[in-house]
Structures are given as structure tokens and as C-alpha cells.
Amino acid sequence: MNIGEVGARTGLPTKTIRYYEDIGLVRPGRDSNGYRAFGESECHKLAFVARARALGFSIQDCRTLLALYEDDGRASADVKRVALEQLEQIDRKLSELQSMRDTLSGLVKACAGDNRPDCPILNDLAAP
Amino acid sequence: MNIGEVGARTGLPTKTIRYYEDIGLVRPGRDSNGYRAFGESECHKLAFVARARALGFSIQDCRTLLALYEDDGRASADVKRVALEQLEQIDRKLSELQSMRDTLSGLVKACAGDNRPDCPILNDLAAP
DNA sequence: ATAGGGGTTCCAGTCGCTGGAAGGTCAAGC
DNA sequence: GCTTGACCTTCCAGCGACTGGAACCCCTAT
């Protein structure tokens, strides 16, 4: 399978797939013409990574998850721990964003948005 | 005022302040010994930027907001537009994170987290 | 023979810092 | 006067996870 087809199947840009090879996430073979040759399993791994990335897991987490996935003797607790940490990370980010949103939306509401210079948004940034 | 005091006043690391000078956000003078010399207004600008950054505005947005702040003839509509775009950005990010959270928390709940290898999280990543 | 659509490599840039090395400056204490 | 330590300076490199572009090779169809 060429890189283009893998991209089409996984939804990953070819650039990203090459990058994933660069950093050792996958190790496709090579055709005699120098083209990367992906087997089903490499393609599957990439799809796995694509889904993990879509859940916000870091590349390092993806490495860990892939290793666990390929380890028949894994404990699901190990997977769960990684996932829980990611969930906590998301929650931290969510609450940070939510508090930004609260502040900003208050300021936006307070701003007339007309052609006069008076502006509560700038006032707040200048001295909250 | 030396960079250290500006850092203490604004809460910004000195590294960041030097970086902000590098990219032209502020233009402190220099003492005869080569040290940066910040006046009240430069320090105030940095505090302004620090607060804008804390609301998630990009450096480019900060430039725009600073310029508007310093323009007595601005229209508050121009400020509001920048803020509204940022609010929308935050909302997009929030909903993306929320949907990650939903998926991930469902998977985490479904995972026993014991020492057996069977794991819904990995199953989902492998084929959702 | 040529055109196009694959593929390859390598290098640089993104964003917003952050770390570290190598060195100059200043105030306090001995 | 000398040392110590905290400050300051510059410059260069690296983070994460790609992304863009240049320059080139390969394959197929017309």
C-alpha cells in the first residue's frame, strides 16, 4: 500500500505519516522504487494513532497506548491510568477555557460596539 | 525600571519580556550599562499584554488591541470584533474538548482497570 | 515524447515561549 | 580591594506536532 492510500484510509495527511515514520511510530517497508510500502498492520497502527490523537493524547501517550495494544499480557489498569490522566488534562483545559470564556463574554456584552472610543474591554485589559 | 521589577509587577518571566521586545511589542530604552530601562508606560503595556494573553488572545491580537488602546479615535466596534472572534475561537475549542471528554470519559468508565488485558479503551482506538 | 499525478528527500517555518551557556555589572560584606 | 551572589546581557537551541516548499524521481496514459 502506498502512502497516499494509507492517507486516504486513515484520514492522515501524507506529510504526517512521513513524520510519524520519522519519529519511529511506524516502520513501513520499501518497494524497489523507494516508495514506502505499508502493510495492513502498519495502516491499522496509523488509524489507531489518528483516533488517539483525536482524543487529545500526546504522541508520547500514543507510543504507550500502541505498546499496550500490542502487549497481550497488558493490564487494563495501565491503559486506564493513561486515559484518566488525559481526562484530567482535558478537564483542566476545559475549566481554564471556561473561565476565559466567562470573563471575555462579560466584557463583550458590556461593550457597545459602536463608533465611540469608550470600551470596557480595553478598560479591563488596562486595569482589571 | 529594570526587567526584574517589570517581571515582578506584571507576573511575566524576564525571558518572556525580552521576547516581547524581540518581536517588537515593547521598546524599552537602555541604561548606560546596557540594561533595559522600562518606563511606566512600557510596564503598563506589558501588563496589558499579560492580561490579554490570559484571555487567550494571540500575540497578533495583542498587537491589534494595543494599537486600539493607544488610538484615541478608535471605535469600540473594532475592539469588540476582535474579542468576539476570540470568543468564538474559545467556543470552538470548548466544544471540541467537550466532545473529547464525553468520548474519553465513556471509555474510562467502561474499562475495568484491573490486571486483565481486556480493555474497551484499546478496543475503541483499534476500531470504533 | 510529454503531461499529470504519484512518490522521495531535506530544510525551514509555525507559535510562544523556555533553557542554557558565556559573560558583564552592581551592591553588600569582609 | 576582593569576593560573593544576584542581577543583567546576548545568542543559540529546543519544545510539540506538524506544515510548506523546493528539487527531484517514478509511473501511467495519451
Side-chain angles (χ1 to χ4, degrees):
Chain A
M1 210 183 322
N2 278 351
I3 197 169
E5 194 183 340
V6 177
R9 285 211 209 174
T10 59
L12 291 169
T14 56
K15 277 273 186 192
T16 301
I17 298 173
R18 286 191 201 101
Y19 170 70
Y20 285 171
E21 182 189 5
D22 248 33
I23 62 171
L25 270 186
V26 283
R27 254 173 262 279
R30 294 286 170 148
D31 284 342
S32 53
N33 58 10
Y35 287 18
R36 286 168 183 81
F38 294 85
E40 286 301 327
S41 98
E42 294 298 304
C43 184
H44 189 61
K45 268 190 185 186
L46 285 166
F48 182 101
V49 169
R51 283 186 287 263
R53 295 283 302 131
L55 291 179
F57 287 104
S58 69
I59 294 288
Q60 185 47 55
D61 284 342
C62 290
R63 277 186 217 280
T64 306
L65 290 171
L66 266 181
L68 287 166
Y69 179 61
E70 289 174 343
D71 173 10
D72 287 345
R74 72 191 162 242
S76 70
D78 289 341
V79 183
K80 190 167 186 171
R81 186 161 23 78
V82 175
L84 262 175
E85 257 166 48
Q86 172 58 14
L87 193 53
E88 280 158 23
Q89 181 117 321
I90 288 176
D91 282 345
R92 279 193 295 278
K93 196 92 202 172
L94 270 174
S95 78
E96 191 196 346
L97 276 177
Q98 191 58 58
S99 100
M100 285 184 190
R101 209 215 104 94
D102 291 347
T103 304
L104 198 52
S105 105
L107 292 174
V108 162
K109 268 181 204 131
C111 176
D114 54 22
N115 59 359
R116 287 171 303 170
D118 185 48
C119 177
I121 301 171
L122 292 180
N123 288 346
D124 189 87
L125 289 173
Chain B
M1 209 181 326
N2 278 352
I3 197 170
E5 194 183 340
V6 177
R9 285 210 209 175
T10 60
L12 291 169
T14 55
K15 278 273 187 192
T16 301
I17 298 173
R18 285 192 202 99
Y19 170 71
Y20 284 172
E21 181 188 7
D22 248 33
I23 61 171
L25 270 185
V26 284
R27 256 172 259 279
R30 295 284 170 151
D31 284 341
S32 53
N33 57 12
Y35 287 18
R36 286 168 183 81
F38 294 85
E40 287 301 328
S41 98
E42 295 298 303
C43 184
H44 188 63
K45 267 190 185 185
L46 284 166
F48 182 102
V49 169
R51 284 186 286 264
R53 295 284 302 133
L55 290 178
F57 287 104
S58 70
I59 294 288
Q60 185 48 54
D61 284 342
C62 290
R63 277 186 216 280
T64 307
L65 290 170
L66 267 182
L68 286 166
Y69 179 60
E70 290 175 343
D71 173 10
D72 287 344
R74 72 188 163 245
S76 70
D78 289 340
V79 183
K80 190 168 186 170
R81 186 160 25 77
V82 174
L84 261 176
E85 257 166 49
Q86 172 58 12
L87 193 54
E88 280 158 23
Q89 181 118 321
I90 287 177
D91 282 345
R92 279 193 295 279
K93 196 90 202 173
L94 270 174
S95 79
E96 190 196 347
L97 276 176
Q98 190 59 57
S99 101
M100 286 182 189
R101 210 216 103 94
D102 291 347
T103 304
L104 198 52
S105 105
L107 291 175
V108 162
K109 268 181 204 130
C111 176
D114 54 22
N115 58 0
R116 287 171 302 170
D118 185 48
C119 177
I121 301 171
L122 292 180
N123 288 346
D124 189 87
L125 289 173

